[in-house]
Amino acid sequence: MAQLLEKILNQKLSAIFEKNDLDVKFAVVKNSDRPDLSDFQCNGALALAKPLHKNPREIATLIASELEKDADIAKISVDGPGFINISLKNEFIAQELNAMSEDERFGCDKTNEPKKIVMDFGGPNVAKALHVGHLRSAVIGESIRRIEKFYGNEVISDVHFGDWGTPMGMILAEIINQDGNLDKVQTYDIEAISAFYKKANIRCKEDEAAKETARQITAALQDGNPEYRRAWKHLREVSVNAVKKNYDALEAHFDLWLGESDAHEASSEIVKLAKEKGLAELDDGALIVRLEEGNKPKPPVILIKSDGGFGYQITDVATIKMRYDDLKADEIIYVVDKRQSLHFEQVFEVAEKLGIAPNVKFLHIGFGTVNGADGKPFKTRDGGVMNLEDLIEMSKDKVRESMPKPEDTDGYDAAYIEKLVSEIAIGAIKFQDLKNTISAGYVFELEDFAKFDGKTGPYIQYAIARINSILRKAKEKGIALGDIVISNNEERDLALKLAQLNNVILRAEADKEPSIISDYAYTLAQTFSSFYNASPIMGEADVTLASGRLKLAKLTRDILTLLLYLLGIKAPEVMLKA
Ligand code: ARG
């Protein structure tokens, strides 16, 4: 496997530290804070000085004098209070980059201890089309899913369909109300079902009796009433098919399409267990578990609601049990709006108290909202909830404006252009989302989000397409790929930037933060631009240089493609603009 520069430097330093009886924990380099002075720096001497009661400069000088003898090092100096600044020889950088380009993972680490991670990042509900609130969950969740898989973990994504609460009874009650019975249910499509749900919502707000009926139907449904179950199955199926289309458009992948309803039996087991452990308590007709100890008391978790039904909380607790028992999860990650933080804290605490998933690591990744220009959650013009499908259509319309007509292209037909519009629009939506840190909200904007020259998805897609075109032209001119050589500063900068890949992915994985990848992709594309302006390929007379640069270009293309993949974004072969 190819090695990245940093890793090799760390190894070289470790050997020197060991030889001199210095704690190897500090034998690490990082990218230089002063790229004008050096490529990397090691601050280990500063950390070692205190426990050893020595002058940090003295330790640094000792280390530097040994490392200086290494043939791969171009320049080394001790600066300030004891920083060791290290620059590498061009030949060494080139050699490592060549190795990196030969490795199918570009020298990236893979975990030695793969974990089984269950990811919960859907959470759509029966009878409701996906809306803007589902966007971040799908986009962030899918990216983290891909990062974890790339790192070598086993990931099982589960949509966790909202198909079991009071809304089910509300819809059924509304249908009975209008039709007199449930005979026609099987003919209703998603629009009809959503319309029933909307009406049910209004009715139940105004009318206590209607609310009560809905509650009773929900309880009967949960109890197994065959007529309700049959009708509900249809509602569920139609809804699942509708959201599947939405998720396909976003390229979010779910291995499992389980729902809250699948946790029904396990919920009964949770109740039994909580009673056995003496943790269940009756409170105002509801069965609860109190979470009052500790320095941060939380409200109790409701196992059974006063109307006898299972609700949102116990369902999540029971689902944990299933993910442990059936899926053997080591880790469960939820990507859900951060406004649900308390819910997850409660659920995790009860799961721990009940001991239903020993040693499982729980993580709720809470994201901020997608906002409109007014800083409030994004709405349609008339103040309604923005459907995800409409949002995607709006974005496509915007992208279409910058596309040429088929007759103005080199033979690309309308179908290709439409495919491009979709890949660019989705890329732009996703990148706009993933360039922000997860917990922050952001303003969804349609003006510059797809610009080819900003920090956008299409900018990266364009950089890739440009390299594709360079590779095609080079082929026509008979320029072959050759070994990477470093002959100028721009090649050097690009090479050093590429060598950061492994670290970037490791950090994104550890922090569960795709913005680390989007940031890097953006600066890498920029670095490539500077490189290409300074280092011609087609116009270069020196064949060795031209073929070496071509290889550097190809490696950049491949790595940018991988980065977009990890963000869940497609890289079109050719980009077009009007
Ligand atoms: N369906 C829920 C909602 O609309 C979100 C579910 C999130 N996932 C979970 N395991 N609780 O609020």
Side-chain angles (χ1 to χ4, degrees), residues 225-281:
N225 175 307
E227 198 199 347
Y228 293 160
R229 283 278 172 119
R230 220 177 309 117
W232 164 82
K233 245 182 138 169
H234 177 75
L235 303 181
R236 185 186 195 280
E237 195 182 297
V238 170
S239 304
V240 164
N241 289 339
V243 298
K244 261 190 182 158
K245 266 206 281 181
N246 294 152
Y247 284 126
D248 279 351
L250 280 178
E251 282 185 71
H253 173 80
F254 293 100
D255 299 300
L256 297 177
W257 283 80
L258 296 175
E260 296 179 0
S261 61
D262 292 290
H264 187 72
E265 252 168 70
S267 294
S268 305
E269 289 167 39
I270 294 294
V271 169
K272 198 168 148 244
L273 201 62
K275 284 181 178 162
E276 275 166 18
K277 295 212 164 200
L279 294 168
E281 208 177 296

Side-chain angles (χ1 to χ4, degrees), residues 25-36:
K25 185 165 87 200
F26 301 109
V28 285
V29 294
K30 58 173 198 147
N31 288 317
S32 175
D33 289 338
R34 293 280 309 273
D36 54 324

Side-chain angles (χ1 to χ4, degrees), residues 28 523 574:
V28 285
T523 51
V574 173

Side-chain angles (χ1 to χ4, degrees), residues 132-148:
V132 61
H134 295 107
L135 178 69
R136 297 210 75 190
S137 170
V139 170
I140 298 166
E142 177 64 17
S143 177
I144 295 177
R145 188 184 78 80
R146 292 183 186 203
I147 294 168
E148 292 300 342

